[in-house]
Amino acid sequence: MVITGCRIRGKEGLYDVTYDNGVFTKIVVHGKEEVPKDAYRADGRMMMPPFVEPHIHLDCVLTAGIPHYNMSGTLFEGISTWHEYKTTQPLVVSEIKERAKTALRLMAEYGVQFVRTHVDVTETSFKGVEALEELKEEMKDIIEIQTVAFPQNGILSVRDGKKLMEKAMDMGVSCVGGIPHYEFSREFGIESINYIFDLAEKYDAMIDVHCDEIDDGQSRFLETMATQAWQREMGSRTVAAHTCAMGSYNDAYCSKLFRLLKESGIRFNSCPSASMHLQGRIDTYPKRRGITRIKELWDAGINIALGQDSIADPWYPIGVGNLLRVLEMGIHAGHMTGYEDLQHCLDLISINGARNLCVEEEYGIEAGKPANFILLDGKDDYEVIRYLSPVILSVHNGNTIMEKTPAVATIHF
Ligand code: FE2
């Protein structure tokens, strides 16, 4: 198959891109060679590697309102509402898979091809783990899924919490998760982090921890995570998610912390739409934004990716799978709407996410790499974020997984 006359993100000019048997085989300057009659005409639109969703909870998606809505909008009412859901609803593998698949279809419409999902392992029937592990296998040629053993109610603060984590890892989950700021005490939080790293070493797994997802500037589990990653040289396989408390740290502490963050090599994930919705709820005024220091991490060269966290679940009532919407919120909240940032802001929902998932090897528009790409109805990052341009073609391993006809408006004046 040939895509003719496309821009390639980050390159000047137009190109003809050929892929066969799931792999990019040839990339030449447009017009240099004959193209087949059935070539896809890109008309100057931008091709780039697919969007990456680095943080979502597919076991919870599309459950908003059951058994009731989160009326306060806080993280903690979200957790208690989910607890009610999982202890009062019959959990059925096929139903969880169907909800998750519906969410994946939504995401596919917006160009997502790589997804890392958390799955609650303090839900002791393990139906969520079973469902998402099955889906990971069934969907692998369409959308690549990684799973995270997420102890929603804590590891030390739950009876047999460590056994639950180990059971999930035995079932094939890809990453070890955690929630140190939600453990009963600081000591439990620290012990949980040490355990998470031990477990990841035991299973040769990646790490992705909900860390300091709270407006409390005294929540400082990030420094323990980064120190563990530095000591064990596991930074490139470790993600600290949310780190909302960093938005409340004082600058003197933060400047000291950044030295460690850089040396540790850990990666970051922020979910600006979810965090702006959930955090700052207990503030009066001034109200905090509840997000980590996205711009400061980005400017320091520390890898940070943005994700959705939720699609219509107890924590966040809206969302349709569109990462551009998340990016738009993130760059506003993070003061990243300056000219320079707008030139490459799509990194936050593409290559940076690929680095968090450790899939950058199979990622890029280059001959010899898997034919994974999207085509956007725009010509560069600036235009795409300004117009929230739709993805009109999404190809994974050479298979077309989504096509869209761009809408045409007729203006009557
Ligand atoms: Fe999350």
Side-chain angles (χ1 to χ4, degrees), residues 49-315:
F51 291 153
V52 177
E53 172 50 76
H55 188 115
I56 195 158
H57 296 252
L58 285 177
D59 52 341
C60 309
V61 287
L62 306 171
T63 60
I66 313 170
H68 58 79
Y69 282 93
N70 174 348
M71 301 306 281
S72 66
T74 60
L75 175 72
F76 301 115
E77 189 178 334
I79 294 173
S80 64
T81 307
W82 172 244
H83 186 78
E84 281 180 61
Y85 180 96
K86 69 190 184 186
T87 51
T88 56
Q89 305 293 313
L91 295 175
V92 179
V93 169
S94 58
E95 187 275 337
I96 300 168
K97 279 172 78 175
E98 202 42 55
R99 273 192 292 104
K101 212 167 173 178
T102 302
L104 291 169
R105 286 193 194 100
L106 288 170
M107 286 190 256
E109 180 178 341
Y110 295 100
V112 174
Q113 294 183 18
F114 294 88
V115 174
R116 179 176 281 181
T117 175
H118 294 256
V119 53
D120 182 3
V121 300
T122 58
E123 191 291 291
T124 54
S125 78
F126 273 68
K127 299 282 191 229
V129 180
E130 211 181 307
L132 296 188
E133 285 302 312
E134 281 183 20
L135 208 55
K136 179 163 93 177
E137 181 59 26
E138 288 168 21
M139 301 284 288
K140 66 176 193 275
D141 296 328
I142 303 167
I143 289 184
E144 295 186 32
I145 300 171
Q146 293 179 357
T147 45
V148 184
F150 175 51
Q152 177 68 78
N153 296 346
I155 298 174
L156 279 296
S157 312
V158 162
R159 306 273 174 223
D160 294 325
K162 289 184 179 177
K163 280 189 189 153
L164 297 173
M165 291 291 288
E166 196 130 353
K167 182 175 175 186
M169 299 312 295
D170 284 335
M171 289 171 74
V173 169
S174 330
C175 313
V176 183
I179 188 164
H181 57 278
Y182 194 65
E183 299 282 357
F184 289 149
S185 65
R186 181 185 166 280
E187 289 71 21
F188 271 16
I190 300 288
E191 193 183 330
S192 76
I193 292 174
N194 296 337
Y195 170 75
I196 288 161
F197 277 83
D198 288 344
L199 194 61
E201 281 189 337
K202 180 177 171 187
Y203 284 86
D204 192 24
M206 297 173 283
I207 292 172
D208 197 325
V209 171
H210 285 62
C211 188
D212 302 320
E213 189 184 5
I214 189 165
D215 283 324
D216 175 10
Q218 296 301 314
S219 187
R220 294 182 173 183
F221 294 105
L222 175 58
E223 63 181 21
T224 306
M225 262 193 83
T227 303
Q228 283 291 329
W230 176 81
Q231 264 187 328
R232 304 185 196 218
E233 298 185 2
M234 290 173 72
S236 63
R237 292 160 63 77
T238 299
V239 174
H242 300 303
T243 61
C244 306
M246 200 201 289
S248 297
Y249 291 163
N250 67 68
D251 290 336
Y253 171 68
C254 221
S255 74
K256 182 203 108 174
L257 177 67
F258 264 54
R259 175 173 158 256
L260 164 65
L261 299 182
K262 273 195 253 187
E263 288 201 21
S264 71
I266 64 167
R267 281 97 197 265
F268 284 80
N269 163 251
S270 175
C271 299
S273 50
S275 290
M276 285 168 66
H277 164 79
L278 292 167
Q279 304 298 326
R281 291 275 176 174
I282 300 165
D283 291 349
T284 52
Y285 285 93
K287 263 188 200 289
R288 286 169 286 184
R289 295 170 182 223
I291 53 167
T292 196
R293 299 191 182 205
I294 302 173
K295 181 170 174 57
E296 288 75 9
L297 290 163
W298 161 278
D299 286 345
I302 296 169
N303 198 67
I304 175 156
L306 305 186
Q308 299 176 88
D309 211 0
S310 297
I311 298 177
D313 70 12
W315 290 271

Side-chain angles (χ1 to χ4, degrees), residues 5-9 13-15 44-47 375 378-380:
C6 62
R7 290 171 207 278
I8 297 178
R9 181 170 182 252
L14 297 180
Y15 293 86
R45 295 183 176 98
M46 181 169 74
M47 176 187 284
L375 197 66
K379 69 176 192 308
D380 55 26

